[in-house]
């Protein structure tokens, strides 16, 4: 089990962000210890990874929460979850294309 501080260090995310995400319901299975401190399991770390991925591409919190809720419901939601992943992937590819263009310009200016 890991504290917010430990997870923040492992995942390179601020503690503040993790707390916000937890309050937003992104980590539905995180438990609290006797001192009311959130404790993350290895399984919870997988949730942190997907949330970090979705948010880093710019997925809105509302859609991240929808994705989490769909995961909890189960296999009947796979088509909708797949659509969210496909949309996010397309957005990431577009961002990568833009970054590649910017890097090319910087390479040109560097010479």
């Amino acid at each position: 089990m890991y504290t917010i501080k430990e997870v923040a260090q492992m995942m390179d995310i601020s503690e503040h962000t993790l707390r916000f995400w937890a309050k937003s319901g992104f980590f539905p299975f995180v438990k609290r210890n006797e001192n009311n401190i959130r404790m993350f399991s290895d399984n919870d770390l997988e949730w942190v990874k997907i949330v970090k991925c979705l948010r880093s591409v710019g997925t809105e919190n509302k859609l991240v929460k929808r994705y989490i809720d769909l995961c909890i419901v189960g296999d009947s939601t796979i088509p909708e979850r797949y659509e969210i992943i496909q949309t996010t992937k397309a957005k990431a590819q577009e961002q990568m294309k833009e970054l590649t263009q910017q890097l090319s310009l910087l390479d040109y200016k560097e010479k």
Side-chain angles (χ1 to χ4, degrees), residues 17-53:
T17 297
L18 278 171
R19 284 189 187 91
F20 177 78
W21 288 351
K23 288 177 185 174
S24 297
F26 294 171
F27 313 127
F29 304 110
V30 168
K31 306 286 185 217
R32 291 182 180 261
N33 68 12
E34 62 279 354
N35 297 319
N36 205 32
I37 296 171
R38 288 183 187 91
M39 299 301 293
F40 289 73
S41 68
D42 288 330
N43 189 49
D44 295 322
L45 296 182
E46 296 303 314
W47 289 97
V48 174
K49 286 178 188 175
I50 189 63
V51 170
K52 180 180 178 183
C53 176

Side-chain angles (χ1 to χ4, degrees), residues 5 8 20 24 28 39 43 48 55-56 69 79 82 86 92 107:
K5 184 174 185 170
F20 177 78
S24 297
M39 299 301 293
N43 189 49
V48 174
R55 288 295 299 134
S56 71
D69 291 344
Y82 182 76
Q86 287 298 107
D107 285 343

Side-chain angles (χ1 to χ4, degrees), residues 34-99:
E34 62 279 354
N35 297 319
N36 205 32
I37 296 171
R38 288 183 187 91
M39 299 301 293
F40 289 73
S41 68
D42 288 330
N43 189 49
D44 295 322
L45 296 182
E46 296 303 314
W47 289 97
V48 174
K49 286 178 188 175
I50 189 63
V51 170
K52 180 180 178 183
C53 176
L54 292 170
R55 288 295 299 134
S56 71
V57 176
T59 305
E60 295 178 7
N61 286 339
K62 188 171 156 181
L63 190 56
V64 172
K65 179 65 169 124
R66 176 72 181 152
Y67 181 82
I68 299 297
D69 291 344
L70 290 169
C71 288
I72 292 168
V73 170
D75 288 350
S76 65
T77 66
I78 287 175
E80 189 175 349
R81 285 187 277 157
Y82 182 76
E83 186 177 318
I84 292 169
I85 294 300
Q86 287 298 107
T87 301
T88 303
K89 183 178 177 182
K91 194 173 188 179
Q93 288 170 330
E94 183 59 34
Q95 289 174 357
M96 186 174 286
K97 180 181 170 187
E98 290 173 17
L99 286 172

